[in-house]
Structure formats: C-alpha cells, structure tokens
Amino acid sequence: MVIVDDEPLALRRLKVLLDDMPDVQLVGAASSCAEAADVIEASSPDVLLLDIRMRDGTGFDVIEDRRETDHPFVIFVTAFDHYAVRAFEQAAIDYLLKPIDAGRLEQALARVRSRYEEERDGSRIEEMREVIENLRAALHDQQNDTESGDIWVRSANSSFTRVLLSDVHWISSEDDYVRLHLDKTTHLVRSSIRALETKLEDGQFVRVHRSALVRLASITEVRRSPSGRREVILENGEKIAAGRVNFRSLRELFKRNDLLSDS
C-alpha cells in the first residue's frame, strides 16, 4: 500500500493506524501529487490510500496519470461535503472521511480485499473514470456552495449539516481547518482561512486578524480595551482580538458608522 496526503499530521496518523494492521504492508508514502507519481511508479502498490485535494493538484490527477493496465485499488480520502460522498456512493468506490477512524479504515480495506476476488478487467478502469468525472463535477458544485450563501459541514455522526453564512458570526483558523462560530455552536471544516476567504461574497466578512474573519453585520464596536488590546466586539458579546494592520483598516472602515471607541 501507498498513502498520499499533503497534511503531515494526517499522513502520520495513517501510518500509525496501518502499523496496527498486521496484514497491511506500507511500501511508500507521498505528500504531493508529483511525489505520489514517483512513489507509485517505484513500488507498484496493490492499494492506494489517496487524498483528494492537495497543494499541487488532486488525487484525480494521480489516478489519471497511471497506465490503463496498471491501476491499484484506490481508497479515496475526503473532508468534502455530501456532494463528494454521494458521488462515491453512486460509483460504489470506497472513501474515508477525515479525521479517519480506525474501524472505518479496516472496513474499507476489507472491501478492497473482496475486490481482489473479482476480475481485474477493463470494467474497473471504466468505473474509475466514472468516479473521477462524478467527483470533478461534485467539487465544482461544492466550490459554488459558499458563494451561494451556505456551507455543508460534517457532523459528529457522519451526517451533513447545512450552515447558512448569515448565521456565522466569525471564522477562526485551526491548522488545516477553519471553525465556524454561530450563536450556540461551532462547526469544523477542512479548509484554510485564506481559501475560504476567496470564496466569500465581497463585503460579507472582514479579516480582523491573520487567523480570524468576522461577519460585518455581527460587529457592534471596534475599540482598544483599557489594557490596550485591539479588539472587535460582536453583537453576541464576543470579543475578537484584532491585528495591528487590520485594526487600522477597520477603524477607517467603521469611522463613519460610530462603531469606534477608545475606551
């Protein structure tokens, strides 16, 4: 087996999980599409555990680069919303949702083992092509979701919840994820804050810190606290620290709206 993921922590977790499975032999690991191509070429694995979106491309690119007679069995790894999941299910190809659960990984590997009992013929290659096309279309739809005013997030029970951006007060960055802060709950979504910011409608959110975006409509005050802390006050009472440069921009933005305070 070869594992491919551009998140160091995710790659390390996969290695730990696979080390506990005695019938699995890990022959290589890669953290990019380019590196994956070399590792697969050198090791000719029977199974590929493949992340979908990476910094230099997608897992689809890795698969399409393989010769038609030399396709390993693929288990996709995804943190995407219900569109991608449905595409996988309809095409009958297994997938894992991040963060990966050990039991779910074992289940996926069991499905791969059963596939070995079947003929490895052209029908599987055509099926893989169908999966790739379905997922490319699904990812295109997903990219448009944020612009339409909502985000689909994975719940604890692996179901999916639609979150309206109009209900999100602010967004914080947590490594390779962002956390959506609502009135009484939060949701974790796999995305960088920079990538999410580019998909948000102009004027809807404003960056107040390198790791925080705040919905303009939720801001009630921009101020310096008595201790000198630069902060943004939200309508629900939350206080978000503001960066020096961002604070200056916010002061200019809100000067006309009487949202500033020096107290």
Side-chain angles (χ1 to χ4, degrees):
M1 175 184 290
V2 164
I3 55 177
V4 182
D5 199 305
D6 66 347
E7 295 181 54
L9 291 178
L11 202 62
R12 190 178 305 120
R13 174 169 173 75
L14 282 174
K15 290 179 180 178
V16 170
L17 292 176
L18 293 171
D19 282 343
D20 292 333
M21 300 178 184
D23 58 342
V24 175
Q25 181 181 5
L26 183 62
V27 297
S31 58
S32 69
C33 294
E35 186 181 0
D38 293 337
V39 172
I40 295 170
E41 185 69 29
S43 58
S44 299
D46 295 315
V47 184
L48 185 60
L49 200 56
L50 182 62
D51 192 12
I52 289 182
R53 180 174 290 171
M54 289 175 281
R55 292 178 177 84
D56 64 337
T58 70
F60 312 141
D61 301 325
V62 174
I63 293 300
E64 288 182 331
D65 286 342
R66 304 303 302 154
R67 298 188 302 272
E68 290 193 354
T69 57
D70 187 24
H71 272 287
F73 288 95
V74 177
I75 301 173
F76 282 107
V77 177
T78 177
F80 297 149
D81 63 18
H82 67 301
Y83 289 110
V85 174
R86 288 174 182 172
F88 282 123
E89 292 173 338
Q90 290 167 3
I93 295 296
D94 212 348
Y95 65 91
L96 297 173
L97 285 172
K98 293 184 177 181
I100 295 174
D101 174 75
R104 184 64 183 87
L105 175 58
E106 290 180 342
Q107 182 183 25
L109 292 175
R111 292 181 179 179
V112 170
R113 293 186 192 99
S114 69
R115 292 288 297 276
Y116 273 114
E117 300 174 3
E118 302 174 0
E119 291 287 333
R120 298 189 63 169
D121 57 18
S123 62
R124 191 169 68 84
I125 296 172
E126 289 304 315
E127 183 183 60
M128 183 63 70
R129 286 175 175 165
E130 180 184 354
V131 172
I132 291 172
E133 290 306 313
N134 286 343
L135 288 174
R136 285 194 190 281
L139 292 178
H140 180 269
D141 290 341
Q142 183 203 17
Q143 290 171 350
N144 291 333
D145 272 354
T146 306
E147 296 173 1
S148 67
D150 55 32
I151 299 177
W152 287 88
V153 300
R154 182 189 177 195
S155 301
N157 61 357
S158 295
S159 63
F160 288 86
T161 301
R162 182 188 183 198
V163 176
L164 297 177
L165 285 174
S166 58
D167 293 334
V168 176
H169 293 301
W170 68 290
I171 302 168
S172 60
S173 175
E174 298 184 14
D175 296 325
D176 292 315
Y177 293 80
V178 294
R179 186 172 296 278
L180 310 179
H181 298 259
L182 286 71
D183 276 329
K184 297 181 179 180
T185 187
T186 66
H187 296 282
L188 200 61
V189 179
R190 192 201 176 201
S191 173
S192 69
I193 196 166
R194 183 181 299 276
L196 182 60
E197 184 179 22
T198 63
K199 298 175 184 177
L200 296 172
E201 183 179 346
D202 289 342
Q204 194 174 18
F205 284 79
V206 62
R207 185 180 286 271
V208 302
H209 191 274
R210 62 191 175 112
S211 60
L213 295 169
V214 176
R215 189 164 63 91
L216 282 171
S218 295
I219 298 176
T220 61
E221 188 178 357
V222 178
R223 72 176 190 182
R224 283 183 181 270
S225 70
S227 64
R229 168 186 164 102
R230 303 176 184 90
E231 58 187 15
V232 172
I233 311 300
L234 306 187
E235 59 187 3
N236 63 2
E238 285 190 87
K239 300 176 181 178
I240 313 298
R244 180 176 57 82
V245 175
N246 301 108
F247 185 74
R248 186 183 304 124
S249 299
L250 287 169
R251 288 180 64 88
E252 293 299 321
L253 179 63
F254 292 125
K255 189 175 293 183
R256 297 186 301 273
N257 298 325
D258 294 329
L259 292 175
L260 297 178
S261 174
D262 293 321
S263 61

